[in-house]
Structure formats: C-alpha cells, structure tokens
Amino acid sequence: MIAIKLIWESILFALQALKANLTRTILSLLGVTVGIFAIIAVFTLVDSLENNIKNSLSFLGNNVMTVDKFDYSAGGPDFPWWKYFRRPNNTFAEYTFLRDNVRGADGITIFADANVTVQSGNNSYSGTSLKGVSFTYKDVYDVPIGTGRFFTELEINSARNVILIGTKIANSLFPNSDPLGKELKIRGQKFFVIGVFEEEGEALFDTPSKDEAVMVPYGTFTKLYNVGRYGLGPSIAMKGQEDDAGLIALENEVKGLLRAKRGLKPTEEDNFSLNKSEFIMNTIGSIFDVISGAGWVIGGFSILVGGFGIANIMFVSVKERTSIIGLQKSLGAKNYFILFQFLFEAMFLSLIGGIAGIFLVYLITFIQLGSLELTLTFGNIILGLGVSSLIGVVSGIVPATLAARLDPVEAIRSN
C-alpha cells in the first residue's frame, strides 16, 4: 500500500510539474521523445526489413544443406572461382547413394533448374524458372499448392509430362479460366497442368518466386536438358534435424559418404561444397546488427540531451518543493520515501516522452514503403518503455538524493 501511495503521489507531482510550466516541460521531454523515436524507428525498420528479406529467401528452406560445386560463404576479389568451376557436377547416382545411406537427414532430394519460355496457344511467358524435382522434394522444401495437387510417385518415376505452375503464369496463359487439366508447351513438348502454387505476392528484392515458376518431375526435366556430369549441374539437398548439433552431424556424415563415393584420397581436398541456408541468414543478421548499433548511436545523443532535460526539471522541482519536503520529513517521512517520490516522478516524466516517441513510430507504420510492411513489435515497445524508464532513473537519482538528504529544519526555513 505504501508503494502504491508513493507511485500515485509521484504521478500527481509529475502532473503538477507539467501544468506549472508546460512549455519548459515539453521542451525538456522533447529530447527523450526524439531519442526513443530514433531508436525504436530504426529497430522497427531493421526488424521489418530483415523479416521481409528472410521471407523472400524462404525458398532456401530451414535447416537445409545442399551439395553444390560453389561455396555460398566464399567470395571477394581473391575468390578462386576457377577451382570451384572445375569441380564435377552432382549426379543422380550420387543422390541415390546418399538417399540410401544417410541416416541423419529427415529428407533428401535432387533438383535442377533452367530458364524457359512457357507457351499455351498464342500466349507465352518468358523468363520462367523451370525446376525438375524428385518425389522427396516436398520432404525438404515447402511446396504450397493453391489448387490441384503435387506429383504422385508414379508420375515422378515414369517421367510423365505433368506440371505445376505459378499464379502469374496461370493468369497469363489461361486468363479467366481454370488452368487445371489445360495443356501448355515447353521446348516443343506438351505438358498437362495438375496444380497451381499458392500466390506469394511481390517480394522486397528480386528473389525467386513460385508465382513465376514451373515444376516438373526430375526425369521429365532430363528429357529437356542434358543433366549430370557433363551438362546442367543438379543440386542435392537434405533437411537436417532442428538443432545445430544434428545439422553438424549430418554435415560430417555426408562429407564422409560423398568423399568415399567420389574416391577421394585422405590427402585430397573436397571437390564439393556443403552449403547451409544458415550461412546467408547469419550474414543478413550480422549486417542488420551493425545498422541497429547505428540506431543506438543516433538515438543515444538525443536521449542524452533528454536526460539532462529531465534532470533540470527535477532540480527545479526540488527547489520549488523544498519547504514541502521539510514538512514531510518533520512529520516522520523517511529519506527513502522522499528519494522514491522524486525517482518515480522522474521516471513518469521520462515515460511520457518515451510513449510519445513510440506513438510517433506507430504512426509511421501506416506509411507504405513499396512491398515493405513496417510492423511495430511488442518487443520494441517494451524496449522503448524500458529505455525511457532507465533514463528517468539515471536523470532523477542525483536531485532525488539531494532532496532526501535535506535537513527538515533548514528546508522549512527556506520558504
């Protein structure tokens, strides 16, 4: 009850300070408002941008490792591209070998990509991403089907000319009609549509989208293109267990099996790369950590100014209420009572500035930045309130301590 009374009285004193000199208080709180706005606005933008990018890269999958020629994490001016380029392509035989022998994967698949033009009557769609997949592709990657169905195992094994298409292709080739069961052509061969992917919408960056993609059985793809050791290089992908330890164990297992399959000697280096989707995600996360740090620096200066403003208000408040403090102490008020009273008042004043800054951030979330959707998260709201409360405590501790140490007799006489 004492604590509740303390908080209530502090709120009343803070409101009185606001009313007594509204202009001075608003100008003093402006620094906290601008500082919290700068920090939370940067964090909101960074979080929204990071989530949008990661959603755009969802085609990489979660806990997925792929066997490729090139290393995703390597790059720069000294990158030995010639060494990676000379590496052999994956083969279907290697896929079946890994599928039959790998024990630490929840799923394993093989797929190959190419760009094609899809035709239906007088309509065509250029720059389409064609992917040939095995039946286990859905065990590694999400394949959201809007209408229709995925391939059956019989269709995959017998290399049927069936196809899944994206919504943009469906709308372009078959406007105002149901595409299921319709016929289209790729490189002169006829295909029958059995399904349409769920619509993904516009991405922030130019990343692969299923809206403009088509998918066929892997065997059917090999009838269109030369795939394997001397043709297009397919990728072998596998889904690891949820924990990092499971993915590391899978990496070691696959490395050992593939080295044995390719007949590499112990002294020879790997002629393949095991790429994890986390490589790109971690790189993106580190970039945004730097941007977040810049947001702290930018907002920190404003908060510093705001902190001095709060301290100034509290020093003035202590000066104006010196006689009241003397009366409270003469009636038995303890030092901690006076201390907490002014600390709560400083926190409340700082919170007003913090809430104003968070409200301004909330208003900018209604601004549409292309395909980027700004979202003020609950975590950022708590962060803003926590920082503003901390600034209030730090700014009010010195004047509150001075108030608590006042001699009651001298305080009363000061009036």
Side-chain angles (χ1 to χ4, degrees):
M1 291 300 295
I2 294 176
I4 294 174
K5 187 177 180 181
L6 260 175
I7 295 172
W8 177 247
E9 287 185 359
S10 300
I11 292 174
L12 291 178
F13 279 128
L15 291 175
Q16 288 174 5
L18 281 172
K19 293 177 181 178
N21 198 327
L22 188 61
T23 304
R24 182 192 69 189
T25 305
I26 291 176
L27 290 175
S28 299
L29 295 182
L30 193 59
V32 176
T33 300
V34 173
I36 296 298
F37 171 77
I39 292 174
I40 303 304
V42 170
F43 282 4
T44 298
L45 180 61
V46 167
D47 291 345
S48 302
L49 192 59
E50 186 174 4
N51 290 333
N52 196 292
I53 291 175
K54 288 184 175 180
N55 290 335
S56 299
L57 297 176
S58 60
F59 65 92
L60 295 174
N62 294 321
N63 298 312
V64 173
M65 184 174 66
T66 59
V67 181
D68 294 295
K69 292 171 64 172
F70 293 92
D71 188 349
Y72 291 170
S73 61
D78 299 327
F79 178 67
W81 61 268
W82 48 269
K83 181 178 72 173
Y84 290 92
F85 188 77
R86 290 190 311 202
R87 287 178 170 182
N89 292 332
N90 298 325
T91 63
F92 192 81
E94 290 172 346
Y95 157 67
T96 56
F97 173 76
L98 292 175
R99 182 193 61 191
D100 296 337
N101 292 279
V102 171
R103 296 290 176 264
D106 292 339
I108 182 168
T109 187
I110 187 171
F111 61 91
D113 299 274
N115 289 326
V116 297
T117 297
V118 185
Q119 296 177 319
S120 177
N122 295 326
N123 298 325
S124 65
Y125 202 102
S126 301
T128 302
S129 174
L130 171 65
K131 189 184 294 288
V133 303
S134 65
F135 182 70
T136 53
Y137 185 84
K138 57 183 175 55
D139 297 332
V140 180
Y141 297 99
D142 292 331
V143 187
I145 305 295
T147 57
R149 59 176 176 81
F150 189 68
F151 308 112
T152 64
E153 194 166 6
L154 177 62
E155 289 171 337
I156 295 283
N157 294 336
S158 57
R160 299 275 180 86
N161 282 19
V162 289
I163 192 169
L164 301 174
I165 63 175
T167 54
K168 285 187 177 181
I169 297 173
N171 294 334
S172 178
L173 300 186
F174 311 105
N176 304 319
S177 64
D178 186 0
L180 296 182
K182 297 293 178 60
E183 180 183 292
L184 55 79
K185 287 185 178 182
I186 298 177
R187 306 193 76 178
Q189 290 198 27
K190 295 180 180 180
F191 289 83
F192 294 93
V193 180
I194 63 169
V196 180
F197 298 120
E198 282 186 3
E199 186 174 3
E200 291 186 350
E202 295 294 332
L204 181 62
F205 297 101
D206 188 18
T207 54
S209 170
K210 284 188 172 61
D211 293 347
E212 299 179 275
V214 294
M215 188 177 290
V216 298
Y218 185 81
T220 308
F221 186 92
T222 60
K223 293 189 296 184
L224 298 172
Y225 296 94
N226 180 24
V227 182
R229 193 70 76 191
Y230 303 105
L232 294 176
S235 295
I236 300 173
M238 54 211 75
K239 190 175 184 65
Q241 298 174 358
E242 293 297 327
D243 59 328
D244 293 336
L247 202 59
I248 293 173
L250 175 62
E251 181 181 5
N252 294 329
E253 182 184 11
V254 171
K255 182 179 291 187
L257 288 171
L258 199 53
R259 284 183 63 86
K261 176 65 175 176
R262 294 191 174 183
L264 296 176
K265 298 177 182 180
T267 55
E268 293 180 300
E269 66 177 16
D270 298 337
N271 59 359
F272 56 87
S273 295
L274 299 179
N275 295 307
K276 302 175 187 176
S277 55
E278 282 73 14
F279 286 159
I280 297 178
M281 299 301 182
N282 291 339
T283 301
I284 293 172
S286 62
I287 293 173
F288 285 111
D289 286 343
V290 175
I291 299 175
S292 299
W296 277 108
V297 172
I298 295 170
F301 288 108
S302 298
I303 286 181
L304 184 63
V305 174
F308 282 115
I310 297 292
N312 177 62
I313 292 176
M314 297 311 301
F315 278 119
V316 172
S317 182
V318 171
K319 184 68 176 176
E320 292 175 345
R321 287 155 47 190
T322 300
S323 58
I324 298 176
I325 295 170
L327 286 173
Q328 287 177 328
K329 298 190 77 171
S330 65
L331 293 174
K334 302 295 184 181
N335 286 350
Y336 73 85
F337 182 89
I338 305 298
L339 177 72
F340 285 142
Q341 187 180 84
F342 281 92
L343 274 182
F344 281 131
E345 183 177 338
M347 284 179 57
F348 182 71
L349 288 170
S350 186
L351 274 173
I352 293 175
I355 291 171
I358 293 172
F359 180 71
L360 291 176
V361 176
Y362 173 73
L363 292 180
I364 70 171
T365 59
F366 291 99
I367 300 174
Q368 191 68 28
L369 302 175
S371 59
L372 176 62
E373 182 179 352
L374 296 177
T375 304
L376 178 60
T377 63
F378 180 74
N380 283 335
I381 293 175
I382 297 299
L383 176 63
L385 296 177
V387 171
S388 56
S389 299
L390 180 62
I391 293 301
V393 172
V394 173
S395 303
I397 188 68
V398 174
T401 302
L402 292 176
R405 292 180 178 178
L406 285 175
D407 181 84
V409 176
E410 294 295 331
I412 294 174
R413 286 177 179 176
S414 66
N415 199 23

